[in-house]
Amino acid sequence: MTDDAFETSLPAPIAAEPAARHETRAVTIGSGARAVTLGGSAPVVVQSMTNTDTADIEATVAQVAALAQAGSELVRLTVDRDEAAAAVPHIRDRLAQKGIEVPLVGDFHYIGHKLLADHPACGEALDKYRINPGNVGFKEKKDRQFASIVELAIKHGKAVRIGANWGSLDQELLTHLMDVNANAKAPLDTRAVTREALARSALLSAQRAEDIGLTRDRIVISAKVSAVQDLIAVYRMLAQRSDYALHLGLTEAGMGSKGIVASSAALGVLLQDGVGDTIRVSLTPEPGGDRTNEVRVAQEILQTMGFRTFVPLVAACPGCGRTTSTVFQELARDIQSHIRERMSVWRRQYPGVETLNVAVMGCIVNGPGESKHADIGISLPGTGEAPAAPVFIDGKKTVTLRGEGIAQEFTRIVDDYVARRFGGVEDGEAAE
């Protein structure tokens, strides 16, 4: 085949970029050092939620601090009773004393109107309220109690997330839509009607909040479900019908790999569609597990898809029969842990360090090539290969490591590279 024939036979290029971002109203949560903007042209925001008893001030402060330090840009607290509401201002003040300015969101169900009325300091201390139109009140009380919360949000100048949920859907609305569907010429299946009810619950409630006086730049909506396809369908409906800022997240995503895979699949599709202004990965932690894991997963979804950068990426091969030694696995683990531990310091000292790419490879097949493509990489010897590990910096081999101290020496090289590239420090003078 000639070059000309080859060129004319190439197919049209396929778009490799995400869809244009769905245009939404920008919503600012908090003020001053606590301010975080979501929606509009702002980057997608990562948020999380505590699982401590909010009335336990010390435990909640410690967990909020850990979540914020891990990178959560909003943290939600359960406000379910008087003791929890009374604790919120103290939590806000303790965090400020520690220099942690993350905005706090109050999660209200059933009696939120009463708690906010009885504890005005709680309403003032929070930066956003989250209410569920399915359980804010029932029958004749529903509209009145919903209005009470919205009016208090207006009084305190706070944003509100109106979060409909599959598990606590407004039953009056669902029953009405089921009746309408039953009489339709071409009725939909029950799942489709439920999706419609969920989307409509959020949108009707947001419109009601606007009618009361809450401006659109103070409203965030969500419609959470636990099934991936339902979530994708409902949020596509919301994006088609409104320009409210959208909070994404599977509810009850699950534990371990199940929760991570389900959240990644659902959020990945929607983010690629340009839908979503803030995300939470709702992982069920292992007993005694680290709550901050959900923050790291959310960050990794956004970073892997190219929307934001949070921490340097460490690429490592999966291993095969050529890599029967565990050396490269241990080095990949240790380098990743080292980078995460250093990031709290590196972010301050070395602006832009989060864009760093590191490769830890296990044999000669792909090791040198992948290492060359990274900013800094090492190709460890595979089974039967010479006991040598070439190191590549900015695409060029700079040194070959040998012996027992390869891991320690490569870690030192990474530190020196970070200091030199992002901080202008000379070789061997990496900051402690």
Side-chain angles (χ1 to χ4, degrees):
M1 181 182 291
T2 66
D3 288 344
D4 288 344
F6 176 74
E7 288 180 6
T8 57
S9 69
L10 288 174
I14 296 174
E17 300 297 328
R21 184 89 172 269
H22 169 58
E23 291 187 17
T24 58
R25 298 294 181 98
V27 179
T28 299
I29 313 299
S31 60
R34 298 164 66 83
V36 171
T37 299
L38 57 92
S41 60
V44 179
V45 170
V46 172
Q47 63 177 278
S48 56
M49 184 177 184
T50 58
N51 62 354
T52 56
D53 179 358
T54 305
D56 185 339
I57 295 171
E58 294 303 323
T60 302
V61 167
Q63 191 171 83
V64 172
L67 290 167
Q69 288 163 357
S72 184
E73 295 159 303
L74 295 173
V75 178
R76 185 157 45 113
L77 313 173
T78 296
V79 187
D80 58 344
R81 63 193 196 280
D82 288 309
E83 293 83 357
V88 168
H90 300 291
I91 292 168
R92 187 268 317 269
D93 293 343
R94 298 275 183 90
L95 290 167
Q97 290 168 7
K98 292 175 176 287
I100 297 169
E101 299 289 352
V102 63
L104 300 177
V105 181
D107 194 51
F108 295 99
H109 296 275
Y110 303 108
I111 59 170
H113 62 290
K114 184 177 186 302
L115 293 174
L116 285 168
D118 292 348
H119 299 273
C122 171
E124 186 278 327
L126 293 167
D127 298 288
K128 184 173 76 169
Y129 308 157
R130 188 270 185 169
I131 56 177
N132 183 339
N135 61 30
V136 72
F138 301 100
K139 298 189 181 296
E140 72 280 357
K141 295 181 180 179
K142 179 173 65 176
D143 289 345
R144 184 170 68 252
Q145 291 173 182
F146 178 88
S148 175
I149 297 176
V150 171
E151 287 164 358
L152 287 166
I154 295 168
K155 175 182 176 181
H156 291 298
K158 308 298 181 180
V160 174
R161 171 157 74 93
I162 296 171
N165 194 298
W166 191 275
S168 51
L169 187 54
D170 184 331
Q171 291 303 301
E172 290 184 36
L173 175 61
L174 179 59
T175 299
H176 169 70
L177 291 180
M178 288 292 186
D179 290 343
V180 171
N181 184 63
N183 294 318
K185 291 182 178 179
L188 304 174
D189 63 44
T190 299
R191 203 166 195 88
V193 178
T194 307
R195 289 172 175 173
E196 174 65 28
L198 190 65
R200 195 173 295 196
S201 175
L203 292 171
L204 288 173
S205 297
Q207 183 58 59
R208 191 174 300 126
E210 283 197 71
D211 293 342
I212 294 166
L214 190 65
T215 54
R216 192 166 284 224
D217 62 354
R218 293 281 187 182
I219 298 174
V220 181
I221 63 173
S222 66
K224 288 194 170 185
V225 301
S226 55
V228 169
Q229 294 296 342
D230 290 327
L231 191 86
I232 293 169
V234 169
Y235 274 90
R236 284 174 171 168
M237 292 161 63
L238 292 174
Q240 288 173 354
R241 299 181 191 181
S242 78
D243 65 352
Y244 293 114
L246 296 176
H247 166 77
L248 303 187
L250 279 175
T251 188
E252 295 98 30
M255 182 180 286
S257 61
K258 187 272 179 185
I260 293 171
V261 170
S263 293
S264 299
L267 301 188
V269 169
L270 289 167
L271 291 167
Q272 189 71 10
D273 282 351
V275 176
D277 301 299
T278 177
I279 66 171
R280 181 191 172 206
V281 175
S282 302
L283 297 180
T284 303
E286 300 285 348
D290 187 353
R291 188 68 165 181
T292 62
N293 188 44
E294 67 175 43
V295 178
R296 286 191 287 272
V297 172
Q299 290 177 330
E300 287 169 5
I301 291 171
L302 293 174
Q303 185 155 343
T304 300
M305 295 191 68
F307 293 113
R308 293 186 65 180
T309 52
F310 297 96
V311 297
L313 291 176
V314 178
C317 67
C320 67
R322 290 177 175 270
T323 56
T324 54
S325 168
T326 61
V327 173
F328 90 92
Q329 299 166 346
E330 293 164 355
L331 180 56
R333 177 200 63 199
D334 293 347
I335 285 293
Q336 189 152 298
S337 297
H338 176 74
I339 288 172
R340 282 203 173 272
E341 289 169 2
R342 297 292 290 160
M343 277 304 291
S344 61
V345 175
W346 283 357
R347 281 194 187 96
R348 297 193 302 270
Q349 292 184 337
Y350 306 129
V353 68
E354 63 275 3
T355 64
L356 176 71
N357 285 300
V358 180
V360 179
M361 308 305 294
C363 78
I364 198 171
V365 174
N366 291 317
E370 291 289 347
S371 296
K372 287 178 183 178
H373 288 301
D375 296 317
I376 181 168
I378 186 170
S379 179
L380 292 160
T383 304
E385 294 177 16
V391 174
F392 297 83
I393 296 177
D394 296 329
K396 298 178 181 179
K397 187 171 81 170
T398 60
V399 66
T400 298
L401 304 181
R402 294 179 173 85
E404 297 296 322
I406 287 178
Q408 293 82 357
E409 181 62 16
F410 184 64
T411 301
R412 184 195 65 77
I413 292 172
V414 170
D415 285 347
D416 284 348
Y417 179 83
V418 167
R420 185 177 72 255
R421 176 177 169 184
F422 299 100
V425 178
E426 295 299 323
D427 283 351
E429 298 179 359
E432 292 296 328

